[in-house]
Amino acid sequence: MGAIYRREMGAFFTSGVAYVFLVVFYFVSGIFFYNYVLAAGVADVSPVFQSMFLVVMFLIPILTMKLLSEEKKNRTDQGLLTAPVGLWEIVLGKYFAALTLFIIAESIVFVYAIILSALGNVVWQTLIGNYFAMLFLGAAFIAVGLFVSSLTENQITAAIISMVVLFVIYLSEMLAANFENGNKLQQLAYKAITTIAFYSKYNEFTNGVFSLPSIVFFISVAFLFNFFTVRVLEKRRWS
C-alpha cells in the first residue's frame, strides 16, 4: 500500500491536479474567511465551513476522477491487478493519497486561526470540531469519487458522475424538507432521505453539536464505497 500511496501522491503533483485543487480550495475558503469572519468582526469560523460544503462537493470529484479511470484508459490496470498486492492495498493506497491532499487543503484553517489569534480570541473547540467535520465529510466524498472512477476510463465522465451523485443526494435532502410535516408516506420518504443525508449531519458539527452517529455515518459511507471499489476491481481481475 505504501508504494501505491507514494506513487499517487507524486502523480497528483506531477499532473498538476494537486496545485489546481489546493489553489482553488485556498482561494475560495479565503474569500469566505474574509467575508464571514474578518469583515464581520467575529471569531467564529463556522460560516466558512458551512459555505465550503458545496465547494468541497464539486472539488473532490476533480481530485478523484483520475485515480482508477486513468489506469483503465492507459491499460496499466492489468499490471496493477496482476501484481502481488491485495486489492484493498490498491484501493486504500489511492484513497489515502487523495485524503492526504484533502487534509493538506483543509488545514489552511489553522492559518486562519493564527490570524484570528493575533486579532482576538479563537474558539478552538468550535474550530477543531468543524475541522474534523470536514475531514469526515471529505473521507466519505473521496470514497464515492474513487468508486465512480473505478467504473469508467474517462476522467471527465468520472468527475461529472461523481458531482451529479453528490449533488442529487444534497438536493434530495433539501426537497425532502417539504415532506417533514406531510402525510405518512411523505414522512416515510423524509426519514429515508435524511438517513443518507450528508449536509444535515455535517451541519450539526458546524452548529457546535458533536454527533457520534454522524461520525459513524461518514466512516461507514467511506468503508462501504471503498468496499464497492474493491468488488469492481475483483470482478475486473477475474474477467
Side-chain angles (χ1 to χ4, degrees), residues 31-120:
I31 292 176
F32 291 149
F33 176 69
Y34 177 80
N35 288 336
Y36 298 144
V37 180
L38 295 182
V42 300
D44 184 11
V45 296
S46 295
V48 177
F49 284 92
Q50 290 172 348
S51 301
M52 284 300 293
F53 179 90
L54 285 174
V55 177
V56 168
M57 189 172 70
F58 287 103
L59 271 182
I60 283 184
I62 297 175
L63 184 64
T64 60
M65 65 181 183
K66 65 183 288 293
L67 288 176
L68 285 168
S69 61
E70 188 177 51
E71 300 274 9
K72 189 174 182 180
K73 179 181 179 180
N74 296 333
R75 300 294 185 267
T76 55
D77 59 329
Q78 296 303 316
L80 192 62
L81 294 175
T82 56
V85 59
L87 295 179
W88 272 105
E89 293 181 77
I90 296 172
V91 172
L92 291 181
K94 291 176 175 289
Y95 174 78
F96 283 121
L99 185 59
T100 298
L101 189 57
F102 181 75
I103 291 173
I104 293 172
E106 70 156 338
S107 293
I108 189 68
V109 69
F110 294 111
V111 175
Y112 300 153
I114 294 173
I115 296 173
L116 286 177
S117 64
L119 301 175

Side-chain angles (χ1 to χ4, degrees), residues 179-220:
F179 302 152
E180 185 175 6
N181 299 316
N183 56 44
K184 290 185 178 180
L185 183 60
Q186 289 176 327
Q187 291 180 1
L188 184 63
Y190 170 79
K191 291 180 180 179
I193 293 173
T194 53
T195 299
I196 60 171
F198 285 97
Y199 183 73
S200 60
K201 292 178 175 59
Y202 173 75
N203 205 38
E204 289 177 344
F205 289 94
T206 61
N207 288 326
V209 179
F210 181 85
S211 176
L212 183 59
S214 295
I215 293 176
V216 173
F217 169 79
F218 287 127
I219 294 176
S220 299

Side-chain angles (χ1 to χ4, degrees), residues 64-72 143-155 158-159 162 229 236:
T64 60
M65 65 181 183
K66 65 183 288 293
L67 288 176
L68 285 168
S69 61
E70 188 177 51
E71 300 274 9
K72 189 174 182 180
V144 174
L146 180 60
F147 169 67
V148 174
S149 180
S150 70
L151 300 176
T152 177
E153 64 179 32
N154 189 296
Q155 297 181 34
S162 297
T229 305
R236 194 178 303 163

